[in-house]
Amino acid sequence: MKRTSTLFTAIALALMVGCGSGNGLVTNPTSDASQAFTFGEIAGRAVLSAPPQTVETRQTTVTSLVGVISDMSMTGGASPTLSSTRIAFHRGEGGIYEIYTCRPDGTDMRQLTATGYNILPSYSPDGRKIVFVSRRDSSHAQIYSMNLNGSSVVRLTNDAYDNMEPMFSPDGTKIVFMRSTGTGNSYKIWVMNANGSGQTQLTAGAGQDQNPSWSSNGARIAFHSNRDGQVLPNIYTMNADGSNIQRITFGDNFDANPSWSPTGNRIAFSSGGQITIANADGSSPVNISSPANQDISPYWSPDGTRLVFARQSLKGEMNIYTIAADGSDEVAVTAVPPAFSVD
């Protein structure tokens, strides 16, 4: 599945619920056989986060978020009142990205960062912190946490290579992320405690391991990789400690961006530009979106009845859609300029 390697504007969104309260990087097939797929510009993700209790989501809309939307995901639940929700996102262009929050109607915009490269915000499950990626202290991307108003920024990684895609575990005690090996564009999956201690490499060996996603109970992690020598990635799962790695897809369609269902028995992913749902062991895959476009980065709604995903049209326009888990009732929730909607 081909990706554009240069995206001039980026947005990452997160819906915060209550008083507080997580993925995707653009990947590109390359002509270099030693680097089967690489990271391009950050293209954005939408993240829906909430305390453990969930209720039915009501439609919310954010307007005037100018940019290109690509890989996206969302975690957690929904809010009983829209007035208590806020959205966190990054946007910018030319390598300058900052993190903002606003109300679901696009009002009360608040800029949280101002150091030039701050991306991929993700709320902790309890809604008290935001974890994000920045180059404020380093030429390499590092992971930081901050309070909801942008205060008390704490650096969590201090590595000589890029650290990307942080995502809190469902219980909020761990953060899974990807760290560059320093060799080409290769990344491996790591995990650390929420305070940055105990940084532990989970995957090793040949190939690239990318885009980690927690299972709903925190016991396993899904990711995409070409670790078995394949040119294009497939979906794998492993225990939260990195053991028992299992390959669950075997096609040559660029399988990427896995997302566990809330019940944990199914995984959604993008496959050859279509949204696909399979059992957690990879069996019984079903394509649920149209093959006429490039559909990527699915993520389940909290109740498991719908998925949100990003679509690139034949004109190159990137927008967000939702679709029922059975493939019916596809709804466009953004336009160009993009607007964000969750239902």
Side-chain angles (χ1 to χ4, degrees):
M1 177 177 175
K2 187 177 181 180
R3 302 284 192 276
T4 54
S5 60
T6 303
L7 295 170
F8 298 100
T9 315
I11 296 177
L13 304 133
L15 181 58
M16 176 184 70
V17 178
C19 61
S21 171
N23 75 32
L25 283 174
V26 179
T27 54
N28 296 314
T30 72
S31 57
D32 184 353
S34 68
Q35 298 296 333
F37 53 107
T38 65
F39 294 95
E41 290 291 324
I42 299 300
R45 62 176 177 181
V47 185
L48 174 61
S49 297
Q53 64 273 18
T54 62
V55 296
E56 181 181 359
T57 308
R58 301 300 181 186
Q59 187 172 27
T60 64
T61 303
V62 175
T63 58
S64 301
L65 302 180
V66 179
V68 177
I69 299 175
S70 184
D71 298 325
M72 53 183 292
S73 65
M74 56 182 179
T75 62
S79 172
T81 61
L82 294 183
S83 62
S84 64
T85 68
R86 291 189 67 82
I87 290 176
F89 57 95
H90 80 252
R91 68 177 183 182
E93 59 184 335
I96 304 299
Y97 306 105
E98 300 297 350
I99 294 173
Y100 297 77
T101 68
C102 67
R103 295 187 185 278
D105 61 2
T107 62
D108 192 23
M109 189 78 67
R110 302 176 188 175
Q111 184 173 342
L112 302 186
T113 63
T115 61
Y117 186 90
N118 300 278
I119 59 175
L120 299 174
S122 177
Y123 288 104
S124 60
D126 65 4
R128 298 180 184 275
K129 294 286 184 179
I130 294 174
V131 66
F132 65 102
V133 171
S134 180
R135 288 180 177 162
R136 61 184 57 209
D137 301 318
S138 171
S139 60
H140 297 285
Q142 303 295 337
I143 297 172
Y144 296 75
S145 68
M146 64 181 171
N147 292 335
L148 301 183
N149 63 0
S151 66
S152 300
V153 175
V154 176
R155 183 169 173 174
L156 301 180
T157 61
N158 187 18
D159 192 66
Y161 304 110
D162 286 341
N163 298 268
M164 307 296 290
E165 292 294 338
M167 181 182 182
F168 277 101
S169 61
D171 64 3
T173 64
K174 302 283 187 180
I175 296 172
V176 69
F177 62 101
M178 302 182 312
R179 173 172 287 172
S180 171
T181 64
T183 303
N185 292 290
S186 180
Y187 282 74
K188 297 301 178 185
I189 309 299
W190 287 64
V191 70
M192 61 182 169
N193 295 326
N195 65 1
S197 66
Q199 295 180 21
T200 303
Q201 185 172 344
L202 298 183
T203 64
Q208 299 197 56
D209 303 326
Q210 307 175 356
N211 205 193
S213 174
W214 292 96
S215 63
S216 57
N217 63 4
R220 290 187 67 78
I221 295 169
F223 61 100
H224 65 247
S225 178
N226 65 342
R227 58 179 27 248
D228 291 322
Q230 65 268 46
V231 174
L232 297 178
N234 291 111
I235 307 300
Y236 293 75
T237 67
M238 63 182 172
N239 290 340
D241 63 1
S243 64
N244 192 23
I245 295 177
Q246 298 179 357
R247 181 175 174 179
I248 66 168
T249 70
F250 296 85
D252 56 0
N253 294 321
F254 204 110
D255 297 337
N257 314 123
S259 174
W260 291 87
S261 67
T263 57
N265 64 334
R266 294 190 292 175
I267 295 178
F269 55 96
S270 57
S271 180
Q274 289 184 265
I275 304 305
T276 300
I277 297 175
N279 293 328
D281 62 2
S283 63
S284 303
V286 177
N287 295 331
I288 65 169
S289 69
S290 169
N293 301 283
Q294 295 291 305
D295 297 338
I296 58 175
S297 302
Y299 201 91
W300 295 85
S301 64
D303 62 5
T305 63
R306 299 187 67 80
L307 295 98
V308 61
F309 63 95
R311 167 171 291 172
Q312 184 175 18
S313 72
L314 296 179
K315 296 180 180 180
E317 299 167 344
M318 191 75 73
N319 285 289
I320 298 173
Y321 287 72
T322 66
I323 192 170
D326 63 2
S328 65
D329 192 28
E330 184 179 286
V331 178
V333 294
T334 69
V336 180
F340 179 78
S341 177
V342 175
D343 67 20

